[in-house]
Coordinates of all heavy atoms in Angstrom, one line a residue:
W267 N 109.1 74.5 84.4 CA 107.8 74.9 85.0 C 107.4 74.0 86.1 O 107.0 74.3 87.2 CB 106.8 75.0 83.8 CG 105.4 75.2 84.2 CD1 104.4 74.3 84.3 CD2 104.8 76.4 84.6 NE1 103.2 74.8 84.7 CE2 103.4 76.2 84.9 CE3 105.2 77.7 84.8 CZ2 102.5 77.1 85.4 CZ3 104.3 78.7 85.2 CH2 103.0 78.4 85.5
A268 N 107.5 72.6 85.7 CA 107.0 71.6 86.7 C 107.8 71.7 88.0 O 107.3 71.4 89.0 CB 107.1 70.3 86.0
P300 N 91.8 94.3 88.9 CA 91.6 92.9 89.3 C 92.9 92.1 89.3 O 93.9 92.6 88.8 CB 90.7 92.3 88.1 CG 91.0 93.2 87.0 CD 91.4 94.6 87.5
S306 N 99.8 90.4 85.5 CA 100.4 90.7 84.2 C 101.4 91.9 84.3 O 102.3 92.0 83.4 CB 99.4 90.9 83.1 OG 98.6 92.0 83.5
A307 N 101.3 92.7 85.3 CA 102.2 93.8 85.5 C 103.6 93.3 86.0 O 104.6 94.1 86.0 CB 101.6 94.8 86.5
G319 N 96.0 83.1 90.4 CA 95.4 84.2 91.2 C 93.9 84.0 91.4 O 93.3 83.3 90.5
V342 N 92.4 80.5 102.2 CA 93.8 80.2 102.5 C 94.0 78.7 102.9 O 94.8 78.0 102.4 CB 94.4 81.1 103.6 CG1 95.8 80.7 104.0 CG2 94.4 82.6 103.1
Q345 N 93.6 76.3 100.1 CA 94.8 76.2 99.2 C 96.0 75.5 99.8 O 96.7 74.8 99.2 CB 95.2 77.7 98.7 CG 94.2 78.4 97.9 CD 93.9 77.6 96.5 OE1 94.7 76.8 96.1 NE2 92.8 78.0 95.9
K349 N 98.4 69.6 98.3 CA 99.8 69.2 98.5 C 100.7 69.9 97.6 O 101.9 70.3 98.0 CB 99.8 67.7 98.2 CG 100.9 66.9 98.8 CD 100.7 65.4 98.7 CE 101.9 64.6 99.1 NZ 102.9 64.6 98.1
E350 N 100.3 70.2 96.4 CA 101.2 70.8 95.4 C 101.4 72.3 95.7 O 102.3 72.9 95.0 CB 100.6 70.6 94.0 CG 99.3 71.2 93.7 CD 98.0 70.4 94.1 OE1 98.2 69.5 95.0 OE2 96.9 70.7 93.6
T357 N 97.2 89.8 98.5 CA 97.4 91.3 98.2 C 96.3 92.0 99.0 O 95.1 91.6 99.1 CB 97.3 91.6 96.7 OG1 96.0 91.1 96.2 CG2 98.4 90.9 96.0
V373 N 94.4 81.6 113.1 CA 93.4 80.6 112.7 C 94.0 79.6 111.7 O 93.3 78.6 111.4 CB 92.1 81.2 112.2 CG1 91.4 82.0 113.3 CG2 92.3 82.0 110.9
I374 N 95.1 79.9 111.1 CA 95.6 79.0 110.0 C 96.6 78.0 110.7 O 97.6 78.4 111.3 CB 96.3 79.8 108.9 CG1 95.3 80.7 108.2 CG2 97.0 78.8 107.9 CD1 94.2 80.0 107.5
L392 N 104.3 107.6 90.2 CA 105.7 107.6 89.9 C 106.4 106.8 91.0 O 106.1 107.0 92.2 CB 106.2 109.1 90.0 CG 107.4 109.5 89.2 CD1 107.2 109.3 87.7 CD2 107.7 111.0 89.4
S393 N 107.3 105.9 90.6 CA 108.0 105.1 91.6 C 107.1 104.3 92.5 O 107.2 104.2 93.7 CB 109.0 105.9 92.5 OG 110.1 106.3 91.8
A407 N 106.9 83.3 99.6 CA 105.9 82.3 99.7 C 106.4 81.0 99.0 O 106.0 79.9 99.4 CB 104.6 82.7 99.0
R415 N 107.2 79.7 109.8 CA 107.4 81.1 110.3 C 106.1 81.8 110.5 O 106.1 83.0 110.7 CB 108.4 81.9 109.4 CG 109.8 81.3 109.4 CD 110.7 82.1 108.5 NE 112.0 81.4 108.3 CZ 113.0 81.5 109.1 NH1 113.0 82.3 110.2 NH2 114.1 80.9 108.9
F442 N 106.0 100.0 107.6 CA 105.8 98.8 108.4 C 107.1 98.5 109.2 O 108.2 98.4 108.7 CB 105.4 97.6 107.5 CG 104.0 97.7 107.1 CD1 103.6 98.2 106.0 CD2 103.0 97.2 108.0 CE1 102.3 98.3 105.6 CE2 101.7 97.3 107.7 CZ 101.3 97.9 106.5
D484 N 84.7 95.9 120.9 CA 85.0 97.2 120.5 C 86.2 97.8 121.3 O 86.6 97.2 122.3 CB 83.8 98.1 120.8 CG 82.6 97.7 119.9 OD1 82.7 98.0 118.7 OD2 81.7 97.1 120.4
K532 N 78.8 93.1 134.4 CA 77.7 92.7 133.5 C 78.2 91.7 132.4 O 77.6 91.6 131.3 CB 77.2 93.9 132.8 CG 76.4 94.8 133.8 CD 75.9 96.1 133.2 CE 75.1 96.9 134.2 NZ 75.2 98.3 134.0
Q533 N 79.3 91.0 132.8 CA 79.8 89.9 131.9 C 80.5 90.3 130.7 O 80.8 89.5 129.8 CB 78.7 88.9 131.5 CG 77.8 88.3 132.6 CD 78.6 87.7 133.7 OE1 79.6 87.0 133.5 NE2 78.3 88.1 135.0
A540 N 97.6 99.1 125.6 CA 98.2 100.4 125.7 C 98.2 101.1 124.4 O 98.4 100.5 123.3 CB 99.7 100.3 126.2
D564 N 99.3 92.1 127.1 CA 100.7 91.8 127.0 C 101.3 92.7 125.9 O 101.1 93.9 126.1 CB 100.9 90.3 126.6 CG 102.3 89.8 126.8 OD1 103.0 90.3 127.7 OD2 102.8 89.0 126.0
R572 N 92.0 93.2 120.0 CA 90.5 93.0 119.7 C 90.3 91.7 118.9 O 89.4 91.0 119.1 CB 90.1 94.2 118.9 CG 88.7 94.1 118.3 CD 88.2 95.3 117.6 NE 86.9 95.1 116.9 CZ 86.8 94.6 115.7 NH1 87.9 94.5 114.9 NH2 85.7 94.4 115.1
T580 N 84.8 83.1 121.2 CA 84.1 82.0 120.6 C 84.3 80.7 121.3 O 83.6 79.7 121.1 CB 84.6 81.8 119.1 OG1 86.0 81.4 119.1 CG2 84.4 83.0 118.2
Q584 N 85.9 83.1 130.2 CA 86.7 83.1 131.5 C 88.0 83.9 131.3 O 88.8 83.6 130.5 CB 87.2 81.7 131.8 CG 86.1 80.8 132.3 CD 86.5 80.1 133.6 OE1 87.7 79.6 133.6 NE2 85.7 80.0 134.6
Q587 N 91.4 82.0 131.4 CA 91.7 81.3 130.1 C 92.1 82.3 129.0 O 93.1 82.1 128.3 CB 90.5 80.4 129.7 CG 90.6 79.8 128.3 CD 91.8 78.9 128.2 OE1 91.7 77.7 128.6 NE2 92.9 79.3 127.6
L595 N 99.7 83.5 122.6 CA 99.5 83.5 121.2 C 100.0 84.7 120.5 O 100.1 85.8 121.0 CB 98.0 83.3 120.9 CG 97.4 82.0 121.4 CD1 95.9 82.0 121.2 CD2 98.0 80.8 120.6

Side-chain angles (χ1 to χ4, degrees):
W267 171 258
S306 61
V342 172
Q345 293 298 344
K349 206 164 168 286
E350 64 276 19
T357 58
V373 300
I374 298 295
L392 206 61
S393 287
R415 294 179 189 272
F442 281 94
D484 295 287
K532 293 179 176 149
Q533 310 306 316
D564 195 35
R572 174 176 171 268
T580 65
Q584 286 225 321
Q587 171 61 80
L595 298 173

